[in-house]
Amino acid sequence: MAVCTVHTTQSLNPTCSISKPSSFFGHSPRQLVVLASPGGNSSTIPKRKGGVLKVTCSSGDTIVIGLAADSGCGKSTFMRRLTSVFGGAAEPPKGGNPDSNTLISDTTTVICLDDYHSLDRTGRKEKGVTALDPRANDFDLMYEQVKAIKEGKAVDKPIYNHVTGLLDPPELIKPPKILVIEGLHPMFDPRVRELLDFSIYLDISNEVKFAWKIQRDMAERGHSLESIKASIEARKPDFDAYIDPQKQYADAVIEVLPTQLIPDDNEGKVLRVRLIMKEGVQYFKPVYLFDEGSTISWVPCGRKLTCSYPGIKFAYSPDSYFGHEVSVLEMDGQFDRLDELIYVESHLSNISTKFYGEITQQMLKHSDFPGSNNGTGLFQTIVGLKIRDLFEQITEAKAGASLQAAKA
Amino acid sequence: MSSIAPSAALAFPSRGGRRRDASLIPCAVVKYKGTQMRVQRLSEMIEKKVIEAQEVCAGSGADSHECRVAWDEVEEVSQAKADLRLKLEVENRDPLESFCRENPDTDECRVYDD
């Protein structure tokens, strides 16, 4: 998407560099052909012999999204849904370090914040700190590099290898349209927080975390219910001290809890998911049900829609979260059929879809992903659409500002 | 979308409906030695680090720094193994595919024979 407009050479944005076009691996260059005329009317394109310059304008139109999650990087499901909303599939950089944590699509680059570990596995063992501890992470470098990418400069980012536990040689990251920084500490450092255009915190309750880790690990040789429990317990103090407090800064929190529809359910299969959306965030209008700002309780299953057990229940209300005004949309239960999904979608407002049924289409596209039949998939998809909307608004605002500057 | 009957059941995965054996990765997908090595290495590390953590915590106490670090390591390798498994299951091809196309002569890119 072209943000740069036609300028005279004097007003050309100083961070644009003039270069010969070359092929960049895994990433299409964003280039704009600019016909520059000294002192000419900027709205006409003058004839000029040999006056075609190729200007690479990655002049700070990157938006940065922070995603806090305690589940490793390449949080594939959320990332896949997000990049899918923008179109294209996110893949590891081709031909580089096979243990890279980075994902790149046409529009989006996803960076794993573990790459900013200042201590590798051995180093952490020596110092007696977990990966959750800020002392194991280089926030200066994180800030420096995210800032640089945001300003349109490529950076050599370190790679933390999760297999070997070592820090590998860096990989080149070119500024994308959308940069997602994902990991344990995207909102920990205030300077990095300032760079985020939007931030999300994935808040998994202890019971659900335990159920998910059981599903993840029970079949591994070496693991047992006790070891899984012990691992969660041992990480809890650092998690509570360093990771959990970040949620007060998030623009959107996706809270995952056990269902209230099935008494004494401990399998963690049916989920109650809450999308907590901060009010007053620029370019972000919270999703609502029926009547913005009111309190709604909605069971869509009834005469028009038949659902199977345990059904679906929605709630929407204004609330307060760490002193901020928020709107909370909540879904408990599971989707079973296509018509349930479309029915629900048709009753939600401010969902930033481009056409009727877009949410349903996105959910169907990834029906093999975990969470596709419940609130996690639904809200992740909605957040993806919100981010797309945010991106388009910011881009439009910047283009408007450039035009103003050019006219001045 | 109009070609799908509205009441069609959606084929959503049953999350944890049946316990899958995490050590069995679809063989058709593990093509290169490097991937098989990573799968094996991570499995072994999980086993080893769980035992280590249990020993360290028994010795230094459940609240000690050493104990927390030990279980954090278990978490790290467990997640890494799960990520690799997910990659293989969802993408249905060897993650080393593009790397091995550029570097076919490395040890990692030898075709894995079961």
Side-chain angles (χ1 to χ4, degrees), chain A residues 237-253:
Chain A
D238 280 359
F239 188 85
D240 290 344
Y242 305 121
I243 315 302
D244 198 64
Q246 291 176 89
K247 63 192 188 194
Q248 65 184 294
Y249 303 114
D251 298 311
V253 175

Side-chain angles (χ1 to χ4, degrees), chain A residues 221-357:
Chain A
R221 267 191 334 267
H223 263 306
S224 62
L225 225 83
E226 290 74 35
S227 64
I228 295 167
K229 193 154 186 266
S231 178
I232 295 177
E233 301 276 299
R235 289 174 88 247
K236 206 166 182 302
D238 280 359
F239 188 85
D240 290 344
Y242 305 121
I243 315 302
D244 198 64
Q246 291 176 89
K247 63 192 188 194
Q248 65 184 294
Y249 303 114
D251 298 311
V253 175
I254 298 181
E255 206 183 343
V256 185
L257 305 148
T259 182
Q260 289 178 328
L261 300 175
I262 304 171
D264 302 321
D265 177 68
N266 61 355
E267 300 213 354
K269 274 184 261 172
V270 181
L271 298 170
R272 175 175 162 232
V273 190
R274 309 178 78 227
L275 177 60
I276 302 169
M277 298 163 281
K278 212 179 248 187
E279 287 289 343
V281 175
Q282 200 181 22
Y283 308 121
F284 174 57
K285 289 209 300 275
V287 180
Y288 69 88
L289 244 185
F290 178 52
D291 177 26
E292 207 171 358
S294 61
T295 298
I296 310 279
S297 175
W298 181 47
V299 175
C301 316
R303 269 190 216 121
K304 281 199 272 177
L305 189 73
T306 354
C307 311
S308 51
Y309 184 79
I312 301 167
K313 186 166 177 216
F314 274 87
Y316 165 73
S317 64
D319 205 342
S320 180
Y321 190 74
F322 293 101
H324 288 119
E325 267 183 46
V326 296
S327 293
V328 185
L329 178 66
E330 176 178 321
M331 173 180 165
D332 196 348
Q334 287 180 169
F335 295 114
D336 223 16
R337 294 189 327 275
L338 181 64
D339 55 345
E340 291 170 11
L341 243 175
I342 195 92
Y343 192 84
V344 163
E345 180 177 347
S346 64
H347 287 80
L348 292 169
S349 306
N350 267 356
I351 43 178
S352 305
T353 48
K354 293 212 157 133
F355 54 86
Y356 175 73

Side-chain angles (χ1 to χ4, degrees), chain A residues 37-305:
Chain A
S37 140
N41 185 338
S42 64
S43 62
T44 61
I45 300 171
K47 289 196 180 69
R48 197 184 131 105
K49 55 178 195 288
V52 173
L53 304 164
K54 281 234 162 62
V55 179
T56 308
C57 269
S58 44
S59 50
D61 57 359
T62 299
I63 72 160
V64 185
I65 312 292
L67 172 64
D70 177 27
S71 41
C73 287
K75 176 69 186 135
S76 311
T77 317
F78 202 157
M79 282 308 114
R80 276 167 211 277
R81 289 193 199 277
L82 190 60
T83 50
S84 171
V85 163
F86 287 97
E91 293 179 348
K94 294 207 183 336
N97 185 331
D99 294 312
S100 163
N101 306 302
T102 305
L103 294 172
I104 298 181
S105 77
D106 291 333
T107 51
T108 311
T109 294
V110 184
I111 282 180
C112 173
L113 292 177
D114 287 350
D115 289 337
Y116 292 109
H117 279 333
S118 50
L119 300 170
D120 62 14
R121 207 178 281 155
T122 313
R124 296 197 300 270
K125 201 187 203 112
E126 280 169 8
K127 287 239 157 64
V129 298
T130 65
L132 303 155
D133 196 310
R135 287 172 290 174
N137 299 282
D138 188 347
F139 290 104
D140 289 337
L141 185 62
M142 190 191 293
Y143 168 61
E144 199 184 291
Q145 295 203 331
V146 174
K147 181 163 183 274
I149 294 171
K150 191 160 189 180
E151 289 171 353
K153 302 178 209 135
V155 302
D156 280 308
K157 180 193 58 65
I159 297 175
Y160 178 77
N161 189 318
H162 285 98
V163 180
T164 62
L166 301 167
L167 282 156
D168 286 349
E171 61 187 348
L172 185 68
I173 303 292
K174 299 224 171 83
K177 289 195 177 122
I178 296 150
L179 176 72
V180 181
I181 62 169
E182 157 191 37
L184 293 164
H185 304 99
M187 296 166 248
F188 185 85
D189 186 291
R191 299 167 298 174
V192 178
R193 263 196 325 259
E194 281 296 300
L195 297 172
L196 302 177
D197 292 289
F198 195 75
S199 54
I200 307 144
Y201 184 95
L202 199 53
D203 185 10
I204 317 293
S205 76
N206 291 320
E207 303 95 320
V208 176
K209 197 180 269 193
F210 188 33
W212 283 3
K213 295 212 171 166
I214 290 174
Q215 284 167 27
R216 188 191 73 178
D217 294 339
M218 265 309 267
E220 294 290 343
R221 267 191 334 267
H223 263 306
S224 62
L225 225 83
E226 290 74 35
S227 64
I228 295 167
K229 193 154 186 266
S231 178
I232 295 177
E233 301 276 299
R235 289 174 88 247
K236 206 166 182 302
D238 280 359
F239 188 85
D240 290 344
Y242 305 121
I243 315 302
D244 198 64
Q246 291 176 89
K247 63 192 188 194
Q248 65 184 294
Y249 303 114
D251 298 311
V253 175
I254 298 181
E255 206 183 343
V256 185
L257 305 148
T259 182
Q260 289 178 328
L261 300 175
I262 304 171
D264 302 321
D265 177 68
N266 61 355
E267 300 213 354
K269 274 184 261 172
V270 181
L271 298 170
R272 175 175 162 232
V273 190
R274 309 178 78 227
L275 177 60
I276 302 169
M277 298 163 281
K278 212 179 248 187
E279 287 289 343
V281 175
Q282 200 181 22
Y283 308 121
F284 174 57
K285 289 209 300 275
V287 180
Y288 69 88
L289 244 185
F290 178 52
D291 177 26
E292 207 171 358
S294 61
T295 298
I296 310 279
S297 175
W298 181 47
V299 175
C301 316
R303 269 190 216 121
K304 281 199 272 177
L305 189 73

Side-chain angles (χ1 to χ4, degrees), chain A residues 70-74 76-77 80 91-100 121 124-125 128-132 160-165 212-213 215-224 226-228 230-231 234-235 237-238 268-269 335-339 341-342 356-357 360-361 363-364 367-373, chain B residues 1 4-17 19-23 37-38 40-52 54 56-57 62-63 65-87 89-91 93 95-96 98-99 101-103 108:
Chain A
D70 177 27
S71 41
C73 287
S76 311
T77 317
R80 276 167 211 277
E91 293 179 348
K94 294 207 183 336
N97 185 331
D99 294 312
S100 163
R121 207 178 281 155
R124 296 197 300 270
K125 201 187 203 112
V129 298
T130 65
L132 303 155
Y160 178 77
N161 189 318
H162 285 98
V163 180
T164 62
W212 283 3
K213 295 212 171 166
Q215 284 167 27
R216 188 191 73 178
D217 294 339
M218 265 309 267
E220 294 290 343
R221 267 191 334 267
H223 263 306
S224 62
E226 290 74 35
S227 64
I228 295 167
S231 178
R235 289 174 88 247
D238 280 359
K269 274 184 261 172
F335 295 114
D336 223 16
R337 294 189 327 275
L338 181 64
D339 55 345
L341 243 175
I342 195 92
Y356 175 73
T360 302
Q361 190 194 73
M363 299 273 281
L364 278 178
S367 59
D368 55 332
F369 288 174
S372 295
N373 64 342
Chain B
M1 252 180 37
I4 304 170
S7 58
L10 299 168
F12 291 128
S14 56
R15 199 190 177 119
R19 223 184 334 125
R20 53 161 137 63
D21 185 349
S23 52
M37 274 165 32
R38 280 177 178 75
Q40 196 176 340
R41 183 172 176 173
L42 286 168
S43 299
E44 287 167 3
M45 277 204 284
I46 292 174
E47 236 187 310
K48 188 178 100 166
K49 287 188 188 289
V50 167
I51 295 170
E52 247 173 59
Q54 286 164 339
V56 164
C57 298
D63 276 331
H65 292 299
E66 298 90 343
C67 180
R68 292 178 188 177
V69 172
W71 282 118
D72 191 40
E73 286 191 7
V74 170
E75 168 62 24
E76 190 190 348
V77 294
S78 301
Q79 185 63 55
K81 174 90 196 289
D83 285 340
L84 180 55
R85 198 182 343 121
L86 188 72
K87 234 189 266 195
E89 280 176 9
V90 172
E91 291 180 30
R93 64 168 179 169
L96 284 180
S98 63
F99 175 80
R101 223 178 304 135
E102 314 279 324
N103 308 279
E108 287 201 288

Side-chain angles (χ1 to χ4, degrees), chain A residues 370-385:
Chain A
S372 295
N373 64 342
N374 62 40
T376 57
L378 176 64
F379 294 153
Q380 286 172 7
T381 304
I382 290 176
V383 167
L385 296 169

